[in-house]
Amino acid sequence: KSSICCPVARTPDSPRPVAMASLCMGPRGDGPAWYEELGKAQGILEGRRVVALCTVLAAPASAAMLADLGAEVIKVEEPKGDPMRSVLWAAERDRAAQKIPCSVGEFCNRGVKSVIINLKDDADKQSFLDLLQTADAFMTNHKVQLLKDFGLDADTLKASHPHLVYSHFSGWGREGPYVGNIGYDV
């Protein structure tokens, strides 16, 4: 059976694989075959709200997939924004010439609303916690200790927001000798 996620694909006019960044077309029948499968599932998360406190690739791309399926996804960014907004990968440098419709950052944030919240500010942190009260799910890929410092770890949020589905993306897991390291699993 085909999968909703396709990291690389071959196009009829290109014998080499095309990076995921070039697959930014929506499920309108004009995209790759995997988008047709996505179109069948479109809307199954309608009425659900996901708050995403995440950056880089894996978690934001997953958030975008939830938006593809109809969820309202609100990505919370720090005041300086997500670094992926300004990243230029080698494949993107000449994307206009290759007719690639969007950057990796745009691909990973498609269909996602964005809000700037400074979690170091008490009023902003309270706004964030209020936002979580309206959410069905919370997803993050920040380090476990940082989440604990802000009271956003799984145990703390389970106590204060028992309705939330909690999803944590990590290259190292929630426990073990490497848990404090930065690492993203893409």
Side-chain angles (χ1 to χ4, degrees):
K1 195 78 179 153
S2 61
S3 171
I4 290 176
C5 178
C6 179
V8 294
R10 295 189 188 280
T11 60
D13 54 344
S14 174
R16 65 181 178 80
V18 177
M20 187 165 68
S22 68
L23 303 177
C24 298
M25 298 162 274
R28 300 179 302 259
D30 59 348
W34 62 274
Y35 255 102
E36 291 177 25
E37 289 296 313
L38 177 63
K40 294 175 187 172
Q42 197 173 18
I44 63 171
L45 295 179
E46 197 75 37
R48 300 293 181 189
R49 175 178 277 178
V50 177
V51 173
L53 179 66
C54 52
T55 186
V56 187
L57 286 175
S62 297
M65 288 181 205
L66 295 176
D68 288 341
L69 296 173
E72 176 190 26
V73 178
I74 301 171
K75 182 178 178 188
V76 177
E77 297 185 35
E78 59 184 287
K80 65 182 179 181
D82 187 339
M84 287 305 293
R85 292 183 183 278
S86 60
V87 170
L88 283 178
W89 289 9
E92 295 181 47
R93 287 191 191 120
D94 60 344
R95 68 183 173 134
Q98 294 179 35
K99 297 184 177 138
I100 297 174
C102 69
S103 71
V104 172
E106 291 166 330
F107 177 77
C108 290
N109 291 294
R110 69 188 185 282
V112 172
K113 297 176 180 178
S114 180
V115 63
I116 299 291
I117 293 181
N118 181 359
L119 291 173
K120 295 177 183 175
D121 177 84
D122 290 339
D124 274 12
K125 184 175 178 187
Q126 186 57 52
S127 294
F128 178 80
L129 294 173
D130 292 344
L131 180 62
L132 284 181
Q133 285 293 356
T134 69
D136 298 293
F138 172 64
M139 58 191 315
T140 184
N141 64 349
H142 288 281
K143 294 192 316 186
V144 173
Q145 188 58 53
L146 178 77
L147 295 168
K148 285 181 182 176
D149 292 346
F150 283 106
L152 301 175
D153 56 288
D155 293 333
T156 303
L157 284 181
K158 183 178 179 182
S160 60
H161 298 76
H163 67 284
L164 274 183
V165 173
Y166 188 100
S167 174
H168 183 252
F169 292 69
S170 169
W172 305 105
R174 289 183 10 180
E175 317 178 327
Y178 303 113
V179 72
N181 293 350
I182 294 174
Y184 301 99
D185 183 11
V186 292

